[in-house]
């Protein structure tokens, strides 16, 4: 593995991890944010909803634009807007302006997510792309898991405003790093010709590609299940089973380590086995884990009976997202930005639907979490069977 491969994986991995940092890092400080602005809990939570909305919409906008203009210009512009909006968040005195800045922060942060995948596809393909995605996931795959934990630890040293100043510093650092450490990955002869309308029209053609849409929704449902886990687990593990915040953080960290391990294992297995077969095994393991988890929530099993299947399900995210990401992006060299935008939009859209459902029955039962995770895994498995497996040649990849 050469140094450029590793350097690019680190830079793009951090860019791809901007989304979880935007949405999750400040979650532990929501009560103090509410108190500072003298706003209701529901109003303050809009700042989380709008950032997710920004992340979803931003990918749909920025991806197609990058197919026409190249990757570096929209990436650097999005990082500048991300930095400025992060700085303005703690400086505002109105909850509504704060919510607006959070939307802009998500909108701009989407640039890092969508363009990092597009740049990876510009440079690599085939099994090498899978290996690169495994390196990418090593850097950013655990971000959704550790961001709330990291935010809680940061609050021991800074207040909620300090969280956003840290994000501002990160934005400045990324602007400099991208300016110095990356080059334009999309040559002129591979850019979409004509006006920007042609770039967005490519999204319509992607929806007609059953294989691409299959991989996109497989990844989308798997990540939606993880969003459900992130939303529900603090209540389930702490309120129902009585673990401390520190013990809860340890559980989060162990699951994050599981993602890292399966990601790296997938990269190595791709050298010897068909990528679709690795994906199929990952989906099977994850589905079985979700089935056991659902059964344990129904019978109100002991804590260990919840933690073990949760580890299986969450660890499988590393395998499934690595393989679906590379399989979806590999044939899309001509419109990698649009493909990446759709690949990123679907998980956030499905996650926004899944997250509220895990708390629908209140804070004293874990059954909704079990149902949501099982449904998401079953949906992903069925999509694999009825779309991907219908095309026998694809299973040789």
């Amino acid at each position: 593995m050469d140094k450029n491969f590793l350097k690019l994986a680190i830079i793009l991995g951090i860019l791809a991890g901007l989304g979880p940092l935007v949405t999750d890092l400040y979650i532990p400080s929501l009560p103090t944010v509410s108190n500072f602005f003298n706003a209701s809990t529901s109003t303050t939570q809009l700042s989380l909803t709008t950032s997710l909305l920004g992340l979803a919409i931003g990918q749909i906008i920025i991806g197609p634009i990058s197919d026409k203009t190249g990757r570096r210009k929209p990436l650097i512009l999005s990082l500048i807007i991300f930095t400025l909006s992060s700085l303005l968040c703690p400086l505002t005195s109105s909850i509504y302006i704060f919510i607006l800045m959070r939307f802009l922060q998500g909108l701009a942060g989407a640039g890092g997510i969508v363009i990092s995948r597009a740049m990876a596809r510009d440079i690599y393909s085939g099994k090498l792309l899978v290996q690169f995605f495994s390196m990418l996931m090593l850097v950013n795959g655990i971000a959704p898991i550790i961001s709330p934990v990291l935010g809680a630890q940061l609050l021991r040293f800074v207040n909620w405003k300090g969280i956003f100043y840290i994000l501002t510093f990160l934005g400045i650092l990324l602007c400099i790093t991208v300016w110095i450490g990356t080059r334009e990955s999309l040559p002129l002869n591979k850019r979409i010709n004509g006006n920007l309308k042609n770039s967005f029209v490519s999204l319509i053609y992607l929806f007609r590609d059953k294989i691409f849409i299959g991989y996109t929704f497989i990844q989308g449902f798997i990540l939606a299940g993880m969003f459900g886990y992130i939303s529900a687990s603090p209540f389930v593990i702490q309120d129902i089973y009585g673990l401390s915040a520190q013990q809860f953080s340890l559980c989060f960290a162990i699951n994050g380590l599981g993602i890292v391990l399966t990601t790296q294992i997938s990269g190595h297995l791709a050298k010897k086995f068909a990528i679709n077969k690795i994906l199929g095994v990952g989906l099977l393991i994850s589905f079985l884990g979700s089935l056991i988890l659902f059964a344990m929530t129904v019978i109100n099993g002991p804590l260990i009976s919840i933690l073990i299947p949760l580890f299986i399900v969450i660890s499988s995210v590393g395998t499934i997202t690595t393989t679906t990401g590379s399989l979806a992006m590999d044939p899309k060299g001509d419109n990698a930005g649009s493909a990446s935008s759709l690949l990123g939009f679907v998980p956030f859209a499905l996650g926004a639907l899944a997250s509220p459902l895990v708390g629908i029955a209140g804070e004293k039962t874990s059954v909704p979490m079990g149902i949501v995770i099982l449904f998401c895994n079953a949906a992903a498995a069925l999509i694999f069977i009825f779309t991907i497996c219908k095309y026998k040649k694809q299973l040789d990849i």
Side-chain angles (χ1 to χ4, degrees), residues 41-68:
T41 300
S42 58
T43 301
T44 306
Q45 286 177 330
L46 281 175
S47 63
L48 179 59
T49 304
T50 53
S51 66
L52 281 169
L53 187 62
L55 283 164
I57 295 173
Q59 292 184 72
I60 290 293
I61 295 173
I62 298 171
I65 289 175
S66 75
D67 281 336
K68 175 175 174 55

Side-chain angles (χ1 to χ4, degrees), residues 201-255:
V201 167
S202 64
L203 288 172
I204 298 174
Y205 289 105
L206 287 171
F207 270 105
R208 298 176 182 173
D209 186 338
K210 293 180 180 178
I211 292 293
F212 175 81
I213 288 298
Y215 289 131
T216 298
F217 275 88
I218 289 170
Q219 183 177 117
F221 275 110
I222 290 299
L223 288 176
M226 190 176 74
F227 280 128
Y229 154 75
I230 291 171
S231 299
S233 58
F235 301 104
V236 171
I237 295 176
Q238 294 184 76
D239 292 353
I240 297 177
Y241 288 97
L243 267 65
S244 66
Q246 290 73 27
Q247 291 169 326
F248 168 70
S249 298
L250 178 61
C251 294
F252 246 66
I254 291 172
N255 287 334

Side-chain angles (χ1 to χ4, degrees), residues 211 215 274-277 327 384-397:
I211 292 293
Y215 289 131
I275 303 169
N276 262 306
K277 292 179 181 177
L327 286 165
F384 180 76
I385 293 170
F386 290 107
T387 60
I388 310 304
C389 290
K390 283 182 63 177
Y391 299 86
K392 300 297 184 182
K393 291 182 180 180
Q394 290 289 329
L395 292 175
D396 296 329
I397 297 178

